[in-house]
Amino acid sequence: MSANSSCRTTPLRHDWSPPEVQSLLQRPLLDLIFHAHTTHRQHFDSGVVQLSTLMNIKSGGCPEDCAYCPQSARYDTGVEAGPLASVEEALVAARAARAAGATRFCMGAAWRAPRERDLGQVEAMVAGVKGLGMETCVTLGMLKPEQARRLKAAGLDYYNHNLDTSPEFYGSIITTRCYQDRLDTLQHVREAGIKVCCGGIIGMGETPRDRAGLLIALANLPRHPESVPINLLVRVDGTPLANNGSVDGFELVRTVAAARIMMPASYVRLSAGRASLDDGMQALCFMAGANSIFYGEELLTTANPAIEADRALLARLGMHAAR
Ligand code: SAM
Ligand code: DTB
Ligand code: SF4
């Protein structure tokens, strides 16, 4: 079912208000999970999880100042700047991901925006991965309308571009581009006919109001993103957020549940930070409506749970990977 088709029981809404979402996030936890899980079952098989594998096709050296990011050239994190991967390197990794059971291959580049001379190579990667029968996703930073159209023509299914946090808190995290730049890119992606993967991060020092503000910014877009990654900040030494306090795992569960209720037909991905969650907390996130994960030992520069551990977890929960 598409993220924007409506269902008799839960119509899709784009008019969420701050008081409404703040009180949703504060509901008694089990009420909130029950509501989210009931909503989830109206749109999805609750036993199925979509698996996406990430590849860092251009590591480090990024000119932007995103305070969470180990790949910004402004912070000393030990991540070295590397060249754009070759098409063959991407295809080798995509074949391995497909063999391990992933249905989508996501390629990320540490760019503010793609340069014209690099886009051709990314198009070839997209076409190659698509040719393997996998869904394709890239995240390359800001995109112009023409670049989005070229990627669509190459076979791109999804473009990942996160709003990251609320409009109000955004300026405390990133100063080198503004919220509107992100909204503009999302619009260009939409207009090119590419599916939108857009979410954010919790644990950056935001308030509950900011979490509500992020969810409202996502759910009140003209169309819900088909895929909503909820990242838990991975605190990387050298970044300005390295010494942030940890987030109560139940706050993550609440955020996932609210995303599920507000965007009932979208995939909600339990994204970065999963390696720091125990199996029980991950199971609660699935109960709360998460139905997609990053699958494979590495995210972009940081660790993700081992493939065997994820397989074992799904088996223990009686869940299975989407095919
Ligand atoms: N450079 C492109 C951009 O920023 O649009 C694409 C890659 S960027 C790494 C993609 C997303 O990864 C960011 O928007 C952010 O939400 C997430 N991310 C980066 N570092 C993270 C961290 N340490 N913890 C959690 N999420 C992170
Ligand atoms: C998203 O929302 N999370 C992914 C993906 N989109 C590109 C990235 C997570 C990065 C975590 C930190 C790292 O490994 O560098
Ligand atoms: Fe660069 Fe993206 Fe990291 Fe920001 S999140 S510093 S744009 S790689």
Side-chain angles (χ1 to χ4, degrees), residues 21-88:
V21 178
Q22 284 161 29
S23 68
L24 185 66
L25 284 167
Q26 282 170 24
R27 291 249 303 270
L29 184 69
L30 300 188
D31 281 356
L32 179 60
I33 293 175
F34 179 77
H35 182 177
H37 191 68
T38 309
T39 306
H40 189 186
R41 283 173 172 265
Q42 290 169 356
H43 293 269
F44 293 100
D45 179 339
S46 64
V48 178
V49 178
Q50 189 278 327
L51 306 181
S52 292
T53 294
L54 257 178
M55 176 183 182
N56 198 353
I57 58 168
K58 160 67 187 81
S59 182
C62 183
E64 301 290 277
D65 70 351
C66 311
Y68 48 75
C69 188
Q71 301 198 77
S72 167
R74 296 165 193 244
Y75 317 131
D76 188 6
T77 63
V79 174
E80 306 237 330
L84 178 60
S86 69
V87 175
E88 194 45 37

Side-chain angles (χ1 to χ4, degrees), residues 219-239:
N220 289 358
L221 286 168
R223 294 177 67 188
H224 293 168
E226 283 81 359
S227 164
V228 181
I230 305 292
N231 296 277
L232 185 59
L233 175 70
V234 181
R235 293 168 291 180
V236 178
D237 283 349
T239 63

Side-chain angles (χ1 to χ4, degrees), residues 40-41 43-52 104 226-228 256 260 263-270 282 285-294 314 319-322:
H40 189 186
R41 283 173 172 265
H43 293 269
F44 293 100
D45 179 339
S46 64
V48 178
V49 178
Q50 189 278 327
L51 306 181
S52 292
R104 189 176 310 157
E226 283 81 359
S227 164
V228 181
V256 166
R260 167 56 61 220
M263 294 168 277
S266 301
Y267 280 82
V268 175
R269 181 173 311 121
L270 183 55
Q282 292 191 61
C285 288
F286 294 138
M287 183 80 185
N291 60 348
S292 171
I293 56 173
F294 284 123
L314 293 184
M319 298 176 78
H320 64 266

Side-chain angles (χ1 to χ4, degrees), residues 40-231:
H40 189 186
R41 283 173 172 265
Q42 290 169 356
H43 293 269
F44 293 100
D45 179 339
S46 64
V48 178
V49 178
Q50 189 278 327
L51 306 181
S52 292
T53 294
L54 257 178
M55 176 183 182
N56 198 353
I57 58 168
K58 160 67 187 81
S59 182
C62 183
E64 301 290 277
D65 70 351
C66 311
Y68 48 75
C69 188
Q71 301 198 77
S72 167
R74 296 165 193 244
Y75 317 131
D76 188 6
T77 63
V79 174
E80 306 237 330
L84 178 60
S86 69
V87 175
E88 194 45 37
E89 283 168 325
L91 292 184
V92 166
R95 279 189 210 103
R98 184 181 63 175
T103 56
R104 189 176 310 157
F105 193 65
C106 311
M107 295 169 274
W111 288 329
R112 170 180 165 84
R115 295 179 302 190
E116 288 306 309
R117 65 174 183 274
D118 289 327
L119 201 65
Q121 193 159 321
V122 176
E123 289 174 286
M125 291 178 185
V126 167
V129 172
K130 189 78 180 161
L132 299 176
M134 299 184 84
E135 290 181 318
T136 54
C137 178
V138 295
T139 179
L140 314 172
M142 292 186 285
L143 223 52
K144 296 184 189 134
E146 173 59 18
Q147 295 176 319
R149 287 193 287 271
R150 281 175 58 183
L151 289 166
K152 170 72 182 176
L156 188 67
D157 295 304
Y158 289 82
Y159 194 82
N160 167 245
H161 197 64
N162 291 338
L163 289 175
D164 281 345
T165 190
S166 68
E168 295 76 19
F169 189 56
Y170 182 89
S172 311
I173 300 297
I174 300 147
T175 69
T176 48
R177 70 173 103 150
C178 65
Y179 217 71
Q180 189 58 48
D181 292 328
R182 293 192 183 247
L183 294 169
D184 290 348
T185 290
L186 294 173
Q187 190 183 340
H188 301 153
V189 168
R190 266 284 169 238
E191 285 172 358
I194 299 166
K195 290 181 197 148
V196 170
C197 174
C198 182
I201 308 178
I202 74 164
M204 299 196 293
E206 73 284 350
T207 63
R209 268 172 199 263
D210 292 315
R211 284 186 201 145
L214 166 66
L215 291 168
I216 290 169
L218 294 168
N220 289 358
L221 286 168
R223 294 177 67 188
H224 293 168
E226 283 81 359
S227 164
V228 181
I230 305 292
N231 296 277

